[in-house]
Amino acid sequence: MRIGVVTFPGSLDDGDARRAVRLAGGEPVALWHADADLHGVDAVVLPGGFSYGDYLRCGAIARFAPVMGSVVEAAGKGLPVLGICNGFQILCEAHLLPGALIRNDVRRFVCKDQRLRVESTSTVWTADYAEGQEITIPLKNGEGGFVASERVLDELEGEGRVVARYLEGNPNGSYRDIAGIASADGRIVGLMPHPEHAVEELTGPGTDGAPFFTSVLKALVSA
Amino acid sequence: MARVVVDVMLKPEILDPQGKAIAGALPRLGFEGVTSVRQGKRFELEVEGELTPERLAAVEEAARTLLSNPVIEDYVVHADSPLEAGA
């Protein structure tokens, strides 16, 4: 299974995302922001970083990259897409997910190993977790506060689309401690912390992030 | 050349950590009595030729789609030069 990882100018975690795909047993495919061709990949990861310098707003300029036109179109036809950190911000700016990410309420960039509870395993990217499983993966952001209207928040909760919630303290002021959300069909997921940095004992706090990548591979094989 | 100004502000209900930081710094510098600060963005767009209603509408569209995020921000577009009558 071929998983595309987009590199925007300013992406930082594209290499780690490709490595996570490889360790999970998939074939990582490097995609380029200015190339609208998705090269036949079976899913796409939008990695963390500071696309286009995060000028204007996080993810606002990346949304208009040629590759995003193709991602939005393919996502509409069911292509699984995972946006991590800056990728989550891009998914919101592209209207593939509701809400927006604003500057952390603590007014600082936060970098720590973050406890999370996986709230939904009915997404393409989280099926390999157990419902309610508590995990630790790195978090590093300055604009990670998830905001949305009460109506949207209620809808996300009611439809089981809150994918993960912060435990042991909310690091950035996200409404209702939300760390990640999914599209209605569970194929598009945005997550502020970084599962791709927790796929090997040597280089992360553990391997709690790996199921994000094994989940999508299993979903693609059984599709 | 015509100039159009787009002001973008975070919606009132959205927390503005930048504004809060500034509000916290003001009294430390001796500026008392400021109860709240909200920080926004101002865009100045130079457009070709006369400012026709079509060009102004295009700037409105840019303000709505790129310059602001309607989930968290409001925007106001002002023509900095008078609109050409009947253009």
Side-chain angles (χ1 to χ4, degrees), chain A residues 12-169:
Chain A
L12 293 177
D13 302 321
D14 42 342
D16 278 24
R18 290 197 302 270
R19 191 173 62 115
V21 167
R22 195 176 67 246
L23 290 170
E27 180 191 341
V29 177
L31 299 177
W32 182 238
H33 70 109
D35 179 4
D37 189 346
L38 296 183
H39 299 275
V41 295
D42 302 295
V44 165
V45 176
L46 303 177
F50 300 87
S51 56
Y52 300 90
D54 270 352
Y55 292 119
L56 189 59
R57 295 180 307 280
C58 300
I61 298 176
R63 169 199 166 188
F64 293 98
V67 74
M68 283 307 297
S70 306
V71 167
V72 169
E73 190 190 337
K77 296 176 187 160
L79 183 81
V81 182
L82 172 65
I84 303 166
C85 199
N86 195 221
F88 185 10
Q89 294 160 341
I90 295 169
L91 287 177
C92 289
E93 284 285 342
H95 309 310
L96 286 174
L97 291 175
L101 283 310
I102 66 164
R103 204 167 284 241
N104 297 348
D105 63 345
V106 292
R107 303 176 213 165
R108 281 185 295 277
F109 192 96
V110 176
C111 183
K112 61 184 286 231
D113 292 337
Q114 176 68 48
R115 293 285 289 165
L116 297 176
R117 185 172 54 239
V118 178
E119 300 281 25
S120 170
T121 56
S122 57
T123 84
V124 166
W125 298 93
T126 55
D128 268 358
Y129 288 104
E131 198 92 35
Q133 188 176 339
E134 297 188 2
I135 63 173
T136 300
I137 62 176
L139 170 114
K140 51 187 179 99
N141 63 62
E143 302 191 34
F146 178 75
V147 299
S149 67
E150 287 297 308
R151 185 186 57 77
V152 167
L153 292 168
D154 288 342
E155 193 176 296
L156 288 170
E157 306 258 17
E159 295 175 3
R161 291 166 55 190
V162 174
V163 170
R165 238 184 272 267
Y166 296 116
L167 293 178
E168 299 171 11

Side-chain angles (χ1 to χ4, degrees), chain B residues 2 6 9-10 13 21 30 34-35 40 43 45-46 50-52 55 59 64-67 75 81-82 86:
Chain B
V6 180
M9 286 298 294
L10 276 176
E13 69 271 24
V34 177
T35 53
F43 299 86
L45 285 70
E46 303 275 350
E50 303 297 345
L51 188 60
T52 59
R55 288 214 170 89
V59 173
R64 191 181 63 78
T65 54
L66 178 64
L67 303 181
Y75 66 87
S81 48

